[in-house]
Amino acid sequence: MTALSVNRLDRVTGIRVLEIRGHAGDAGFLTRIASVVGTLPARVGTADDDEDHAVLCLSPDRWWISGSESKITGLEIRLRETLKGVAHAMVPLSAGLASFRLTGPNAVDILAKGTAIDLDPAALSKGSVRRVLHAGISTVIHRHRHAERDAQFDLHVQRSYQHYARSWLLLAGQDYALTAGEEWSN
Amino acid sequence: MSHRLSPRSPAQEVAFTFNDRTMTGHAGEPLAAALLANGVHLVARSFKYHRPRGIVASGVEEPSALVQIGEGARSTPNLPATQVRLYEGLTAKSQNCYPSVGLDFGAINQMIAPFIPAGFYYKTFMGPGRRWMFYEKFIRRAAGLGFAPKGEDPDQYDQTHRHCDLLIVGAGPAGISATLAAAASGARVILIEQDAEVGGSLLSEPDDAPTTIDGASQAGWLAKAREKLAAAPNVLLLRGTSLFGRYRHNWFAALETLREAGTSGHGVRQRLWKIRAKAAIFATGAIERMLVFANNDRPGVMLAGAVRDYALRHRVAVGRKVVFLTNNDSAYRAAIDCKKAGIAVAGLVDIREETGGDWRQACAKAGIDILDGATILGTRGRQRVSGCMIESAGKTRTIDCDLLAVSGGWTPTIHLHSQLQGNLAFRQSDGAFIPIAGDGQPVSVGAGAGIFDLGEAMGAAADAGSSLAQRPGRKIAAIRPSVVNAVSGQYDTDWHQTSRPAGDPSKCFIDLQNDVTVKDVQIAIREGFEINEHLKRYCGIGMGTDQGKTGNLNALAIAAQIRGMKPEEIGLTRYRQPFSPVTIGAMAGQQRGELYHPCRRLPLQNMHERAGARLDPAGAWKIPSSYPRPGETFARAVAREASAVRSGAALFDLSAETRFEIGGESGLALLDSLYFTPLADLTIGEMRKAMLLVENGMVSDMDRIWRLGADRLLVTMGPARGERQLMLMENARQSAQSPLSAFVTDITDCWASLALVGSRAAPMLAEAVAVDLSRIEALSPSRFLEAGEGLLIGRAVMAGYPRFDVLMSPGAVESVWGRLLSAGAMPAGQAAFAVLRAEAREPATGFEIDGTVNPNDLGWDGIPAKSFIGRRSLERDRDHDQLRRHFVELSGNGLKPGGQVIDMANRRPIGYVTTSVFSPLSGRHVNLALVENGRKRIGDTLGFLANGRLIDIRIEPALSSGDPQK
């Protein structure tokens, strides 16, 4: 396990996020998605993630699939084929999202300044996801399952808020010497 | 001359100034201790009478010694000298005095004191009402506290959140015991201590105290406990943190001070903690009460416990000749400890007839004279006590002293318990209200629960810690400290109101901070303000920075005496948040400057800024209202941009509009069931403007619906409506009788959008994006097409000119915008868009659509034969159409939005102007209005009040350049 000694905020680029909506009670819908993406987390607030993609269950009828552009594009084509005739909706969200990765020993302290949810590993364990109000804006917080990423969170915000969110996180991280890459474009 | 006793441990000496006089003290000690060590007792002037005031207490309860700390923008007023930690270079000043605390012109108020009792200004300044603002200036100047700094606060503040299994407030012996017991179970514990040091009352114990805890001396036990707390990974210890507010559902707010007021430096100065706890323990200790007697506010009159604290903990002898005055046993212990520390004790005056035997013997052993059954008549001295007058056995005597240490009993600190209406029980034996814990409510322990025996307090606290930390699967270890030879026992308090000679005009103060005397309470009750909450507001008792911590119970008891009742029959006033003052900076936290509120940026924001656009707020967005050229006025810029549609095209950035994608085969049915406008026949490739009502039948918004495919729809609407609209659609979707295959997703940020309006819009667009627009040339119905580069192009009409809406990925908009400008389009802002909208006579949200108009008022006839939100109300509302205001146009210049339209026949207002803009397209003002029964008045002459003069205006139909129903 790699020890993370510095706190860092990075923009995550090159990922694609696909939102899938459907009826959780529709066994056919669930089975067909699972046949394409692997395990489909059914409990709200849980995520199934591996190295190249993650499936996040955000509400009883809403899932996000995120990963590399090529991976998700491939999954999207297969999903559209598989879900024909099944009540569902599929919307690519990447163009409207900005994703950050917050890592470091004080990642929880920095996040805790902006959100009222319990970020302790006992409450937000690895492999958990929450859609919360963070710094006053809707944010999806995903804590990675992998042990080596114990102090790693992926944050997804609406694209138009990315400058605000970045400035806010940098201010919150001043106490913890949080560093970030260059300013991002609009 | 130093008043330092021999120090326990070496301390770092620092220099500070008080009222421009340089002194030295020990780093980290309270400013009050440093002032007392330098022999300073006169620290402040009182609130109303400008009487000299000194340091009374040693903690947060300090009512009098309020000081202004720091200089310039970092200056902080009204800080108790007991709560400010000393640092090199600290500057402190007395408040509410001119020219100095020693010679204060405001002291003239003492001469007119009989004319200004509590509540005098409620009566004196009753009228005339308009003069109050004049009086207020002088009242504020005469009676006030410190000054707010004029500059912006340069310090940084922040806020954070934490959850825990158990929150423990107070790190005295009881709080520590509870924490150690709870921590052993593995529970997540937060321990909060307002002092910079952990230990509470144990910090003021003499080195040779006979009490042992778990076999160690008190200091030894405390040192070990600190080590355990530091080593426990599941305990978060917050020192220098005041838990000031308790709210519902075990939500607490605490203020941590990381850097003292007035200090400069980087990093956060104060942090506001928002804590959600599964359970809580209040180990908040007790606060000593003052006794009420004549001139009990003179500098040098202090609480006995505070005198002991300063002597034993801070090693400061606050007096050279001290008289103790008490109604309970605790002052005996203070007197003995002070004597042992080297302070001369001139005597102990006990107002009770019979005193505790053990303490009496201990005092005798220490060589302290006791005068019991005595009454204090008052103090003497000018700006410092020089003696006190005592009456005993019918004789009056004066005892010379430079300090009078007073103990009126101890009040459990029940503020947090009381903030959420916790129940209290009055205990007659020590005249105190004791908290009663309810089910699931925080538990009070130690002195805060009225348990003054150290062993009993620590044992009960440990039990509470263990039991509240219990959760399934958690191992509980019962850790009950063993306390031997505890010297504190039940305090035998005799509730007593001391008297003074008849005719003596001296004031007996109850609330030192608000200058409230016994006489004020008498007046209030005489005038009918008998209920405790009325009494508080009439006199100001318990208000201010100290919230009456030392005086509330005295006020209550005296009021009870006057009314011939028992204290418990009157009851305490409800304590409210905050327990101690909170800075505005901490309440703002990170929300200041550019982070004051969440701010959204357009994909083209950088370009707009470079182009010199004037940006105006629209919800969380800042959108261009115009692009003035150098030297051009805003009005001219707007006129130029609007005129561009005539011979060319104006290009608008509409990226801030809200967009939803509706997926699923029932999407169209869902929208059709919500909107007033029928949508069931919307074909693929068609775009329709749709009207949304609210339940009362009034128009809410005008949205546009784009049918992208058999099971895909796009809804576009104005900015800042996302959350409300999403909730409405989700609510309709989820509450449908049978599950709808319709799913709503906010895709506002997934798209950017431009609007190109003008006579040459089509050729410019075709040139810029290489698209064949012939498929969507027909104006009705409005259609759209999907073009290369992922563009979605819709065609409509605006103010008689073609309008093309171009939707695209945010990543593509910069390129498309640039190409359209190259093709000759003129960038235009929302102000020009508003001109075109008015020229088109299109009702707009916030103007004509103001929550009071229904579709019929706007010119829509009939009610569609389908379901929609507001249908039932709309059907009823049509019965009253004679009284409804219709959307019309008014002729005339000089009309102002919001101005009243007058019926000249009976001089009655019958409507108002909603929009009035100058249109360069028609060369005149376009005035839109809502006028009662307006469509029946077409051609009538009405009046408009402009600059105090009625002018004639004519009412005309609001003829749209395009039929709004299409």
Side-chain angles (χ1 to χ4, degrees):
Chain A
M1 193 168 87
T2 310
L4 297 163
S5 56
V6 295
N7 298 302
R8 192 161 172 81
L9 180 68
D10 292 294
R11 175 79 190 263
V12 182
T13 54
I15 65 160
R16 187 170 171 81
V17 178
L18 190 65
E19 176 170 287
I20 298 183
R21 307 288 302 274
H23 296 300
D26 182 349
F29 168 75
L30 298 177
T31 310
R32 289 195 200 192
I33 293 187
S35 70
V36 175
V37 303
T39 313
L40 185 70
R43 195 157 59 86
V44 176
T46 58
D48 182 67
D49 48 28
D50 61 25
E51 287 297 339
D52 65 348
H53 81 284
V55 185
L56 320 176
C57 183
L58 293 171
S59 71
D61 63 359
R62 188 192 302 264
W63 290 264
W64 278 12
I65 304 176
S66 70
S68 64
E69 185 81 38
S70 58
K71 172 81 180 179
I72 302 303
T73 303
L75 287 177
E76 185 179 350
I77 293 167
R78 289 171 56 201
L79 281 167
R80 288 197 188 281
E81 190 62 32
T82 306
L83 290 173
K84 273 183 183 165
V86 177
H88 78 285
M90 199 180 307
V91 183
L93 294 180
S94 323
L97 287 179
S99 302
F100 312 137
R101 181 156 293 164
L102 180 64
T103 53
N106 301 107
V108 167
D109 299 311
I110 294 166
L111 279 182
K113 291 188 180 186
T115 182
I117 67 160
D118 192 354
L119 295 163
D120 188 88
L124 188 74
S125 57
K126 286 181 280 186
S128 294
V129 63
R130 299 284 187 275
R131 186 193 279 273
V132 300
L133 207 59
H134 181 271
I137 59 174
S138 176
T139 305
V140 170
I141 297 179
H142 174 207
R143 186 172 206 156
H144 277 268
R145 183 177 297 280
H146 307 289
E148 63 271 25
R149 294 173 183 168
D150 192 23
Q152 174 176 311
F153 294 89
D154 278 358
L155 314 175
H156 306 282
V157 301
Q158 283 183 292
R159 190 180 194 276
S160 55
Y161 283 119
Q162 61 174 304
H163 284 268
Y164 168 81
R166 180 181 188 271
S167 302
W168 203 99
L169 284 164
L170 285 177
L171 178 66
Q174 264 185 8
D175 288 354
Y176 308 105
L178 178 68
T179 57
E182 291 179 3
E183 180 77 31
W184 307 314
S185 61
N186 279 337
Chain B
M1 187 186 299
S2 174
H3 295 250
R4 292 271 178 204
L5 298 167
S6 57
R8 272 178 170 166
S9 56
Q12 181 198 346
E13 195 158 279
V14 294
F16 70 102
T17 63
F18 177 67
N19 290 338
D20 300 324
R21 185 181 144 202
T22 301
M23 305 175 191
T24 59
H26 294 168
E29 73 176 346
L31 171 63
L35 290 172
L36 292 168
N38 284 277
V40 177
H41 277 259
L42 176 60
V43 174
R45 287 283 174 163
S46 74
F47 181 71
K48 187 163 77 176
Y49 301 121
H50 288 250
R51 288 168 69 102
R53 290 283 164 82
I55 295 157
V56 173
S58 60
V60 69
E61 69 273 23
E62 173 59 47
S64 289
L66 303 183
V67 291
Q68 184 110 15
I69 298 292
E71 304 276 2
R74 283 201 160 89
S75 181
T76 307
N78 309 332
L79 290 175
T82 52
Q83 297 300 95
V84 179
R85 303 281 145 194
L86 206 63
Y87 56 86
E88 179 68 37
L90 177 146
T91 59
K93 285 199 163 82
S94 298
Q95 299 184 159
N96 201 31
C97 55
Y98 178 82
S100 70
V101 71
L103 174 65
D104 177 23
F105 292 167
I108 195 169
N109 284 4
Q110 293 172 47
M111 299 177 69
I112 58 169
F115 305 105
I116 54 172
F120 79 96
Y121 50 86
Y122 298 145
K123 306 164 193 166
T124 316
F125 301 103
M126 292 286 283
R130 65 181 184 278
R131 302 296 293 171
W132 170 253
M133 300 309 288
F134 174 75
Y135 305 141
E136 192 186 26
K137 279 190 295 186
F138 297 95
I139 292 172
R140 282 197 178 280
R141 201 173 295 167
L145 296 166
F147 293 98
K150 291 204 169 106
E152 184 186 347
D153 190 342
D155 286 326
Q156 188 183 331
Y157 302 83
D158 80 3
Q159 299 181 353
T160 192
H161 304 80
R162 279 294 185 282
H163 292 244
C164 64
D165 295 314
L166 183 59
L167 171 70
I168 296 169
V169 187
I176 294 172
S177 295
T179 305
L180 292 176
S185 71
R188 280 191 289 163
V189 182
I190 296 178
L191 174 60
I192 288 186
E193 171 54 50
Q194 67 184 8
D195 201 290
E197 282 186 88
V198 166
S201 63
L202 298 181
L203 297 170
S204 301
E205 289 299 330
D207 295 335
D208 59 350
T211 307
T212 63
I213 307 173
D214 287 338
S217 69
Q218 294 175 86
W221 181 86
L222 181 57
K224 280 184 188 166
R226 284 174 175 165
E227 287 172 13
K228 286 180 188 171
L229 291 174
N234 54 332
V235 175
L236 173 64
L237 171 61
L238 297 174
R239 289 174 300 172
T241 305
S242 169
L243 193 126
F244 65 82
R246 174 190 170 208
Y247 304 87
R248 299 207 177 276
H249 309 297
N250 272 354
W251 196 93
F252 299 89
L255 181 68
E256 181 184 18
T257 298
L258 301 162
R259 204 154 43 74
E260 285 298 324
T263 54
S264 58
H266 296 293
V268 173
R269 188 176 96 69
Q270 285 186 321
R271 175 169 295 142
L272 187 71
W273 290 80
K274 300 174 181 178
I275 299 167
R276 180 81 68 184
K278 290 191 173 77
I281 290 176
F282 298 149
T284 44
I287 292 172
E288 196 166 24
R289 296 191 290 266
M290 179 59 81
L291 280 172
V292 181
F293 54 90
N295 294 324
N296 60 344
D297 65 327
R298 211 182 290 283
V301 178
M302 295 180 66
L303 293 169
V307 174
R308 181 174 178 271
D309 279 347
Y310 287 117
L312 298 185
R313 181 178 174 190
H314 303 297
R315 311 301 293 166
V316 175
V318 295
R320 298 196 181 280
K321 194 173 182 187
V322 184
V323 169
F324 283 82
L325 171 70
T326 186
N327 68 351
N328 67 87
D329 288 353
S330 71
Y332 285 75
R333 185 181 172 206
I336 293 167
D337 286 341
C338 287
K339 182 85 189 261
K340 283 184 182 171
I343 298 172
V345 177
L348 190 148
V349 178
D350 196 327
I351 62 178
R352 297 172 296 178
E353 291 295 336
E354 292 184 18
T355 56
D358 292 346
W359 286 115
R360 194 179 184 87
Q361 288 174 18
C363 272
K365 193 174 168 187
I368 298 171
D369 294 334
I370 298 173
L371 195 63
D372 51 13
T375 300
I376 184 162
L377 301 178
T379 61
R380 70 172 194 202
R382 278 195 67 236
Q383 296 185 341
R384 171 89 188 263
V385 162
S386 61
C388 55
M389 289 77 79
I390 307 292
E391 185 183 79
S392 176
K395 293 181 182 171
T396 301
R397 58 185 282 203
T398 299
I399 305 175
D400 291 336
C401 62
D402 64 353
L403 194 107
L404 182 60
V406 182
S407 179
W410 292 78
T411 306
T413 312
I414 55 169
H415 299 68
L416 295 175
H417 177 84
S418 171
Q419 281 178 3
L420 276 191
Q421 304 179 350
N423 288 331
L424 300 169
F426 188 73
R427 194 163 67 190
Q428 191 66 43
S429 60
D430 52 4
F433 282 95
I434 309 299
I436 302 169
D439 283 346
Q441 296 295 309
V443 175
S444 294
V445 298
I451 304 171
F452 294 106
D453 178 272
L454 183 64
E456 191 185 335
M458 293 179 73
D463 291 346
S466 292
S467 84
L468 289 175
Q470 274 190 41
R471 291 284 180 280
R474 223 174 252 163
K475 194 177 170 185
I476 300 297
I479 301 174
R480 218 172 197 276
S482 163
V483 181
V484 178
N485 280 334
V487 289
S488 49
Q490 279 290 337
Y491 285 33
D492 179 14
T493 303
D494 182 14
W495 195 265
H496 191 91
Q497 164 57 39
T498 55
S499 62
R500 61 198 167 103
D504 182 353
S506 305
K507 293 188 180 303
C508 303
F509 284 92
I510 298 172
D511 184 324
L512 270 66
Q513 188 166 103
N514 295 291
D515 268 355
V516 181
T517 64
V518 173
K519 190 177 172 187
D520 292 325
V521 173
Q522 289 168 340
I523 292 172
I525 291 173
R526 209 159 55 219
E527 296 196 359
F529 296 90
E530 296 177 336
I531 298 170
N532 54 12
E533 297 286 357
H534 291 168
L535 186 64
K536 170 179 177 171
R537 279 148 190 87
Y538 186 89
C539 299
I541 294 169
M543 296 182 176
T545 64
D546 72 331
Q547 291 285 291
K549 292 183 176 68
T550 56
N552 264 7
L553 215 56
N554 284 331
L556 165 67
I558 290 165
Q561 276 185 344
I562 294 169
R563 295 180 61 194
M565 299 169 72
K566 294 175 183 171
E568 60 268 36
E569 290 173 329
I570 290 189
L572 269 184
T573 54
R574 179 73 55 212
Y575 288 112
R576 292 176 296 182
Q577 306 89 351
F579 170 72
S580 51
V582 183
T583 55
I584 298 287
M587 284 193 273
Q590 293 94 333
Q591 288 180 262
R592 57 190 291 189
E594 65 169 11
L595 300 179
Y596 177 63
H597 60 77
C599 181
R600 306 179 84 160
R601 285 179 69 85
L602 299 162
L604 288 175
Q605 197 90 7
N606 289 342
M607 289 190 68
H608 296 320
E609 287 167 0
R610 281 199 299 271
R614 182 175 128 174
L615 298 169
D616 285 340
W621 302 93
K622 282 195 171 173
I623 57 177
S625 57
S626 180
Y627 299 80
R629 291 171 176 167
E632 190 178 37
T633 64
F634 180 75
R636 283 185 181 277
V638 173
R640 171 178 53 77
E641 291 166 11
S643 302
V645 301
R646 191 181 293 148
S647 55
L651 179 60
F652 301 94
D653 182 358
L654 301 185
S655 299
E657 64 183 9
T658 301
R659 302 173 196 89
F660 295 150
E661 180 166 326
I662 318 291
E665 58 191 23
S666 310
L668 195 58
L670 172 70
L671 296 184
D672 189 54
S673 70
L674 299 178
Y675 283 88
F676 171 82
T677 307
L679 293 168
D681 59 342
L682 193 71
T683 58
I684 296 172
E686 187 182 344
M687 175 182 69
R688 186 172 298 173
K689 189 178 280 189
M691 184 183 288
L692 186 71
L693 314 186
V694 288
E695 283 79 354
N696 64 5
M698 299 300 142
V699 181
S700 166
D701 291 289
M702 300 285 277
D703 301 340
R704 287 194 292 164
I705 317 294
W706 311 51
R707 187 155 190 197
L708 304 177
D711 55 2
R712 279 183 71 210
L713 291 131
L714 173 67
V715 183
T716 59
M717 60 195 82
R721 285 186 47 213
E723 285 81 4
R724 181 162 58 95
Q725 205 73 347
L726 193 62
M727 196 182 300
L728 183 139
M729 290 187 179
E730 274 296 335
N731 187 38
R733 188 184 76 83
Q734 294 182 23
S735 58
Q737 287 185 341
S738 56
L740 278 178
S741 175
F743 304 97
V744 188
T745 302
D746 184 349
I747 55 163
T748 298
D749 282 7
C750 295
W751 293 85
S753 128
L754 305 176
L756 189 66
V757 185
S759 58
R760 287 187 41 76
M764 284 182 187
L765 184 59
E767 178 190 334
V769 299
V771 62
D772 176 12
L773 298 170
S774 59
R775 280 165 45 207
I776 54 172
E777 291 232 329
L779 296 183
S780 179
S782 297
R783 300 199 66 81
F784 64 88
L785 57 80
E786 294 186 48
E789 304 178 71
L791 302 185
L792 199 63
I793 301 174
R795 173 159 183 170
V797 64
M798 187 173 198
Y801 295 95
R803 167 180 169 172
F804 292 92
D805 285 88
V806 186
L807 275 71
M808 69 214 86
S809 156
V813 69
E814 191 168 332
S815 166
V816 174
W817 175 271
R819 279 181 275 160
L820 284 168
L821 292 186
S822 299
M826 177 178 289
Q830 285 299 309
F833 197 84
V835 171
L836 297 183
R837 194 274 302 174
E839 187 66 61
R841 279 72 172 172
E842 286 183 18
T845 303
F847 295 88
E848 292 75 31
I849 300 175
D850 62 356
T852 69
V853 294
N854 65 31
N856 182 256
D857 301 333
L858 295 178
W860 264 256
D861 289 329
I863 297 178
K866 70 179 196 77
S867 72
F868 58 88
I869 295 175
R871 181 188 176 96
R872 187 179 170 82
S873 301
L874 195 59
E875 285 170 341
R876 287 188 308 192
D877 198 54
R878 286 172 65 81
D879 295 340
H880 311 287
D881 60 350
Q882 288 298 314
L883 299 173
R884 297 212 56 81
R885 289 189 289 266
H886 296 153
F887 175 45
V888 293
E889 184 174 353
L890 303 173
S891 67
N893 291 327
L895 276 61
K896 296 271 190 303
Q900 298 276 5
V901 176
I902 312 290
D903 181 350
M904 300 295 274
N906 54 20
R907 302 262 165 166
R908 184 174 67 88
I910 55 169
Y912 46 91
V913 176
T914 52
T915 298
S916 180
V917 294
F918 177 75
S919 169
L921 301 178
S922 53
R924 66 183 185 92
H925 272 85
V926 178
N927 308 305
L928 305 178
L930 293 170
V931 175
E932 201 174 285
N933 209 17
R935 284 199 296 273
K936 296 268 176 68
R937 296 175 188 264
I938 299 298
D940 289 359
T941 298
L942 302 172
F944 183 84
L945 199 61
N947 299 323
R949 195 167 57 88
L950 261 182
I951 59 172
D952 288 347
I953 52 174
R954 249 171 66 86
I955 188 163
E956 297 172 353
L959 291 177
S960 170
S961 51
D963 184 345
Q965 296 205 55
K966 289 178 182 171

